[in-house]
């Protein structure tokens, strides 16, 4: 059984005191991962997968047709 207090506290934004002001921070980005960092990380993973697949395709072509 799920406690209602736990589910409500997870949905609430976290208040962070940054000097003179307090900011509401979404719990999903509390660890410092902003949308820009997440997008860059995703693009990097996509580029890495694309590069690896191209190397595997080239290697299989090379091994089958050249060697």
């Amino acid at each position: 059984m799920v406690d209602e207090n736990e589910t409500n506290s997870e949905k609430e934004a976290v208040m962070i005191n940054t000097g003179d002001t307090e900011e509401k921070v979404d719990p999903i980005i509390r660890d410092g991962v902003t949308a820009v960092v997440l997008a860059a990380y995703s693009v990097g993973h996509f580029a890495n997968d694309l590069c690896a697949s191209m190397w595997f395709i080239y290697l299989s072509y090379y091994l089958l047709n050249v060697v």
Side-chain angles (χ1 to χ4, degrees):
M1 184 167 178
V2 178
D3 187 17
E4 289 181 21
N5 292 333
E6 289 180 12
T7 57
N8 290 338
S9 64
E10 289 175 2
K11 293 178 185 177
E12 293 177 6
V14 176
M15 296 297 290
I16 293 182
N17 188 1
T18 57
D20 297 332
T21 61
E22 286 189 355
E23 297 179 14
K24 273 190 170 182
V25 178
D26 190 16
I28 197 100
I29 60 169
R30 279 188 297 188
D31 57 354
V33 178
T34 62
V36 174
V37 171
L38 184 63
Y41 193 75
S42 301
V43 169
H45 274 277
F46 177 77
N48 183 39
D49 292 344
L50 183 64
C51 182
S53 66
M54 294 304 292
W55 272 106
F56 292 139
I57 290 170
Y58 174 76
L59 180 64
S60 64
Y61 175 81
Y62 180 80
L63 291 175
L64 290 173
N65 296 325
V66 176
V67 175

